Amino acid sequence: MKLLVLGSGTSTGVPRIGNNWGECDPNEPKNRRSRVSIIVENNAGSRVLVDTSTDLRHQLLANGIDRIDGVFWTHDHADHCHGIDDLRPLRFGRGAPLPGFGSNYTVRQLRSRFGYVFSGQHGYPTIVELSTLERLRIHAGFGVDAVEMPHGPGMSTAYRFDADGKSIAYATDFSEITVEMLDLFDGVDVLVTDCLRREPHPTHANLTMALELASRCRARTAVLTHLDISMDYASLSAEVPDNVLVGYDGMELVA
C-alpha cells in the first residue's frame, strides 16, 4: 500500500494570506502546505481519496492524479470538503458516478450544501453517489473501517484502510483520544495524525497528543499533518522520535 499526502496544512495553509510564514522557514519547500487531504493506493492500483480540500485541483495536478476509485470525507468543515467541485473531471469518462462515503451527519451536510454533486442538474450528470458508512466494510479492494472522533464540539471520522497485508489509518481533526480510536488504530503500519501545533488547542491535537496516540496504538510509523505556521519542518523533524515523520505536500510513503 502507498500513502500520498496531497496536503499537510491547517485550514489557512502555510503561508497564511499576507505571506505570513510564522516560525516556518520560507526557504524550505516542505513548509509550503496546502489544506489536508490524502490518497491511499493498493498494489492493484486502486486509489481512494480522503477529503476534497479547497486546494484539490492544484494537488491532483501536482501529483499527476487523474483517476480515483472512491472518496471518503472526514467531516464537513470547509478546508476538508469545499474543493468538491474539482471531482468533476474525475467523473469524465466514467459510466457511473464516483462512490463517496461519510458519516450520517457529514452526508446530510454535504447533500444540503452541494446538492448538484449528488443528483445532477440541468443535463449535467451526478458526480458522486453518496452513501453512509453503516454497511461499508470493503471498497475497491480495501478493507475499510471507521470511528468517530471528538473534534471540539463536533465530530470527525477517522478511517483505517487495509490491503495487501498492510494498513494505513487517517486521523485528522481530533481533540481527544478515545478507546474506540485506540482499538481502530491498534498495530497500524502507518498512522497519519492531526498535529496542529505544540500548544494545546480546543479542537485539534497538539504535538504531545499526536505522539501519545502514535505510541498508545503501537503504530509502526506515524505521519504528522494539519500543521500550522508554528511547525517548521526541520525543527519539528529534529525533535520527534525516529518512527515519527513530519508530513509535507507530495510525500509518498509505502506501508
Side-chain angles (χ1 to χ4, degrees), residues 9-211:
T10 186
S11 59
T12 54
V14 180
R16 291 179 183 168
I17 290 174
N19 209 35
N20 181 1
W21 289 86
E23 297 174 36
C24 292
D25 178 2
N27 296 311
E28 169 55 72
K30 293 175 181 176
N31 281 330
R32 185 175 290 275
R33 302 175 180 129
S34 59
R35 273 60 75 92
V36 290
S37 186
I38 65 166
I39 280 181
V40 178
E41 183 173 337
N42 64 21
N43 285 345
S46 294
R47 296 173 181 153
V48 292
L49 169 69
V50 185
D51 284 339
T52 52
S53 88
T54 40
D55 297 306
L56 185 60
R57 177 180 178 275
H58 164 76
Q59 293 167 344
L60 297 177
L61 287 171
N63 291 280
I65 301 297
D66 59 2
R67 176 191 55 81
I68 61 171
D69 298 288
V71 56
F72 293 78
W73 281 279
T74 60
H75 60 304
D76 70 321
H77 287 176
D79 52 321
H80 294 261
C81 70
H82 279 204
I84 195 168
D85 192 69
D86 290 331
L87 294 176
R88 286 191 300 124
L90 300 177
R91 171 67 165 92
F92 298 163
R94 290 180 57 94
L98 290 160
F101 306 94
S103 70
N104 290 344
Y105 178 79
T106 298
V107 164
R108 289 197 304 270
Q109 293 299 105
L110 292 177
R111 286 191 186 280
S112 68
R113 208 175 299 170
F114 307 106
Y116 75 97
V117 172
F118 311 111
S119 62
Q121 197 174 84
H122 308 306
Y124 290 94
T126 298
I127 300 167
V128 175
E129 183 178 352
L130 189 60
S131 304
T132 56
L133 296 166
E134 285 94 348
R135 296 180 180 85
L136 181 67
R137 289 295 176 267
I138 298 174
H139 178 72
F142 297 91
V144 182
D145 208 346
V147 69
E148 294 300 295
M149 306 182 296
H151 179 28
M155 303 295 285
S156 177
T157 304
Y159 293 97
R160 175 172 174 154
F161 301 98
D162 288 87
D164 312 310
K166 298 293 184 178
S167 52
I168 294 174
Y170 191 59
T172 187
D173 292 54
F174 67 89
S175 53
E176 179 184 339
I177 298 172
T178 67
V179 171
E180 292 79 11
M181 291 165 62
L182 295 174
D183 288 343
L184 180 66
F185 306 145
D186 185 47
V188 73
D189 289 297
V190 177
L191 171 68
V192 186
T193 175
D194 193 25
C195 185
L196 182 71
R197 63 190 192 187
R198 291 174 179 82
E199 295 77 22
H201 190 276
T203 64
H204 283 274
N206 67 346
L207 177 59
T208 298
M209 186 180 293
L211 296 180

Side-chain angles (χ1 to χ4, degrees), residues 188-247:
V188 73
D189 289 297
V190 177
L191 171 68
V192 186
T193 175
D194 193 25
C195 185
L196 182 71
R197 63 190 192 187
R198 291 174 179 82
E199 295 77 22
H201 190 276
T203 64
H204 283 274
N206 67 346
L207 177 59
T208 298
M209 186 180 293
L211 296 180
E212 179 186 353
L213 176 63
S215 175
R216 291 179 66 186
C217 73
R218 302 179 300 125
R220 183 170 60 85
T221 301
V223 177
L224 307 180
T225 195
H226 214 296
L227 304 159
D228 80 356
I229 60 173
S230 69
M231 300 295 249
D232 176 71
Y233 176 83
S235 300
L236 187 56
S237 295
E239 70 179 272
V240 296
D242 290 343
N243 70 324
V244 177
L245 305 175
V246 180

